[in-house]
Amino acid sequence: MSELSLVHEITKLKQERNAVILAHNYQRPEVQDIADFVGDSLGLSMQAAGTDADVIVFCGVYFMAETAKILSPGKTVLIPDSNAGCPLAQMITVDDVRVLKQRHPEARTLCYVNTTAAVKAECDLCCTSANAVAVIESLPQDDRPLIFVPDKYLAGYAARQTGREIIAGGGYCPSHVKILAEDILRLKAAHPRARVVVHPECTPEVQALADTIASTEGMCRDVKRSDAAEFIIGTEAGMVYRLRKENPGKTFFPASGLALCPNMKRCTVEKVRGALANNQYEVDVPEHIIEKARKSLAYMMSLTAPAGGVRLAAVTSPVNLSSPGI
Ligand code: SF4
């Protein structure tokens, strides 16, 4: 089937099924081009929850589709490739969280959005790379320790920014750690005027060389606002597609061509067609997990609205920080 007729069929199927297609910033360019929304995982899920679509096709990795299901339990959520997992999310299990809680019974538990629904349900609070600092700064300055899982580099960044002590998990993103300080130094030598923008999942050595450290949506905003003409982008290399598209007068250099996430690239346009035509692969989350995981998402969503500005009444009611566990 030609690319044009494939896109035509997807448009038809989308109308028939009243579906919306979401693509994460790291997806293949051609997948981003057929999406209704491109963005970060939480922003996309909130966009989808705010639409009247019956079906959400999530072009991303599994925890993102789970998050969409948690926020839109009444909608059908499909992931075009059922093997698209996130190795970082798989670096922490519910049992690991329970062990940490036993070791630190007084602690609050905060998980990165890059976790399974079951881990979110086990934790008190959840955050994204965009709002980790805001969530931590909003917590009372009492003597309760804070556990943050799974990403040790994001935890380190949040600890440096907030001055709080954090008991960090040992996880890391295998794609972001491929970006080395030498890569940044080499590109900086070749393009001395370039602004260095890196993701907090990068190592501390890479973060130390950055002009700014930002989530993927934060990068989009920083680049738009900046007067610089050249940028060195320290995150998954697919990010530069959207940056180039939205900023045609500016030049972007991926910090490392090795920083590619194979799981993000599993989704293809052909698989999106398959998802809509065959209702595959449906993502389900047990009701009791949805209920508890929504609570861990609710607090950060009450603090910050995503770029799209969509807020869910059900999850933005005030969260009582003195309630047990929080
Ligand atoms: Fe997970 Fe890293 Fe891939 Fe993002 S880039 S999905 S954190 S492995």
Side-chain angles (χ1 to χ4, degrees), residues 260-315:
L260 286 167
C261 176
N263 292 283
M264 280 287 185
K265 308 301 188 219
R266 292 187 80 96
C267 180
T268 61
V269 176
E270 178 58 58
K271 288 179 188 172
V272 173
R273 189 202 64 83
L276 283 164
N278 308 318
N279 202 48
Q280 64 195 20
Y281 297 87
E282 189 163 353
V283 174
D284 222 348
V285 180
E287 223 166 277
H288 68 283
I289 299 277
I290 287 187
E291 205 180 307
K292 288 173 82 181
R294 271 172 88 92
K295 283 189 190 143
S296 85
L297 291 166
Y299 181 67
M300 71 164 162
M301 290 166 78
S302 71
L303 286 184
T304 50
V310 179
R311 294 171 72 96
L312 294 181
V315 292

Side-chain angles (χ1 to χ4, degrees), residues 24 26 60-64 85-89 112 114 151 172-176 199 201 235-236 259-264:
H24 188 269
Y26 300 158
V61 291
Y62 203 81
F63 80 81
M64 298 178 180
C86 167
L88 169 60
Y112 191 19
N114 295 39
D151 191 295
Y172 60 89
C173 164
S175 305
H176 280 85
H199 195 277
E201 285 173 24
T235 189
E236 208 271 356
L260 286 167
C261 176
N263 292 283
M264 280 287 185

Side-chain angles (χ1 to χ4, degrees), residues 31 51 73 81-82 97 108 112 118-119 129 146 163 178 180 213 239 245 250 254 279 288 293 296 320:
V31 172
T51 74
D81 187 310
S82 59
V97 176
R108 293 185 178 91
Y112 191 19
V119 165
S129 54
L146 180 66
K178 293 214 173 97
L180 306 177
I213 300 169
M239 184 71 209
K245 203 170 161 182
K250 297 181 176 179
N279 202 48
H288 68 283
S296 85
N320 183 2

Side-chain angles (χ1 to χ4, degrees), residues 193-211:
R193 289 168 166 270
R195 182 169 169 81
V196 180
V197 184
V198 311
H199 195 277
E201 285 173 24
C202 291
T203 63
E205 294 76 24
V206 169
Q207 291 184 31
L209 296 169
D211 294 306

Side-chain angles (χ1 to χ4, degrees), residues 9 17 21 25 54 109 142 152 174 231 240 268:
E9 199 184 332
R17 301 211 54 195
I21 299 175
N25 289 317
D54 296 317
T109 47
D142 51 24
K152 59 182 174 183
F231 297 84
V240 296
T268 61

